[in-house]
Amino acid sequence: MMQNPSTVSQESAPLFDLVAQVGRFAFSSRFFNSSSDEYSSFKSNYLYFDSFKSSIGQRKRNCKVSAASSFSLRSGKASSVGSFNVSRFVNEFNKAIRFHCERLPIGFASVGINSSERNGIRDENGGVLEDEGLPLNGIENDQPKKVLILMSDTGGGHRASAEAIKAAFHEKFGNEYQVFVTDLWSDHTPWPFNQLPRSYNFLVKHGPLWKMTYYGTAPRVIHQSNFAATSTFIAREVAKGLMKYQPDIIISVHPLMQHVPLRILRAKGLLKKIVFTTVITDLSTCHPTWFHKLVTRCYCPTADVAKRAMKAGLQASQIKVYGLPVRPSFVKPVRPKVELRRELGMDEDLPAVLLMGGGEGMGPIEATARALGNALYDENLGEPIGQVLVICGRNKKLANKLLSTDWKIPVQVKGFVTKMEEAMGACDCIITKAGPGTIAEAMIRGLPIILNDFIAGQEAGNVPYVVENGCGKFSKSPKEIANIVSQWFGPKMDELKAMSQNALKLARPDAVFRIVQDLHELVRQRNFVPHYSCVT
């Protein structure tokens, strides 16, 4: 059962008068926790009831205002606006974030905890958890294990990785696992937090805003404080969302999917009962919010990311470097290039370049296609030296425009493609933005890569990763890009072949299967621990 907080008398600051009238809740005065995990510096400003077992009337009587004396304004200093110390206020505010994470937020406490179950097992905070049937004697039952993958549609890469992991579980273990994919922010948080994907799309389209957001939230002091404050408002809905699936494994494939769920699992004493892992989907530069010390595993795509994880405080035993998970179809042997080209309506003999703009068909695709149309046509011979396969995604307007163009070389225009492994298998090189998923897939197919754009922050490091490893080049100029391709299809064919070999050396086609196998082993190791969930 939770201990009652000590009551601290309110000072006369108007801020606390208002807080007392509106909520009759307050901050715990015990700021500091000397534990070694991430919460030792900044704790959530959780609001809480004194007891789970008390009735509603008792809760109202026991709910006390416990204002932190260090956060309040001294009456002597507050009397004069001129004497207000801004830096002191900031420091005191930061101290106010340092709260015990073991305290359940008011939202989580208000999730219906069933205290009448005779066979329920009482948790350390006084709530009752329901045993979901994993036997206490350590013998596995026949029920399929449940896997919950947390993602968000902020770009296409997170969902692609989630779907790849889901497909790998099904292919390797069949009905042994039930896998659910959910957008935690959109599906299980209230407004305005459920607008995260739309906010991301807006920020990315306005580069300076995204740079400010990305780099401004990178310091731990900033993002931990933000998560602490945010969890106060969304913990109840997130808790209900997590426990709806009763997962044995939770996999986060998004940098904003660690902190709040782990706070909830820790508060309920479920960290040792539910395997929580992070699958990082950035190849080089990645936001610090990817790393959390309480995860069971952190799967890193590259050694560079693993170094960042170690620097963030994770232990070597928590880190595995398996590569970026891509759809299992990329693991299978590729069919002959001639056969794939025939199916796609391409010329069977001419070297081909794949031009991509992502799922939405964004970027300078049209300008690049026209530049390629000119550069890959030999005026002296009067014939093409190469061909182009353009993937427009869901951009139908672009597709129609390209289809109506009279080309001097063979150009095939496709919309949204589901079998990307076949499109890549039919080509000799690729032009794309620096998305990690596309880069990883291109390397598996041995395609030299020309990067024509990147998103500031998470994709910035992908450019040197490709270029410095001898797998491709970078240029934003459509004419320069077209010239590089024409050289590769002509006098610099050897360079193209060398880059193809370098790409194959970096490729990790079995990454997704190694990840799910390791997850399977983690679950087997916890067979002796009963599985619990909150009754909602």
Side-chain angles (χ1 to χ4, degrees), residues 315-388:
Q315 302 298 314
S317 60
Q318 294 174 284
I319 301 169
K320 297 290 184 181
V321 183
Y322 288 155
L324 190 76
V326 299
R327 63 200 89 186
S329 56
F330 272 87
V331 181
K332 299 175 182 177
V334 62
R335 288 191 291 154
K337 190 166 290 187
V338 172
E339 183 180 329
L340 293 173
R341 288 178 176 179
R342 188 183 304 122
E343 287 186 5
L344 292 168
M346 301 170 64
D347 187 285
E348 295 180 11
D349 301 315
L350 286 174
V353 56
L354 176 61
L355 175 58
M356 291 181 56
E360 304 303 324
M362 302 298 289
I365 296 180
E366 183 183 355
T368 305
R370 294 188 184 279
L372 287 168
N374 294 326
L376 297 182
Y377 185 80
D378 192 320
E379 295 287 352
N380 296 325
L381 297 176
E383 61 183 27
I385 62 172
Q387 60 182 323
V388 184

Side-chain angles (χ1 to χ4, degrees), residues 4-10 16 24-31 48 50 63-69 99:
N4 293 334
S6 59
T7 304
V8 179
S9 60
Q10 271 188 296
F16 288 104
R24 298 192 64 200
F25 305 112
F27 301 101
S28 169
S29 60
R30 291 182 291 182
F31 295 130
Y48 56 86
D50 287 339
C63 203
K64 300 177 181 181
V65 177
S66 176
S69 58
F99 286 86

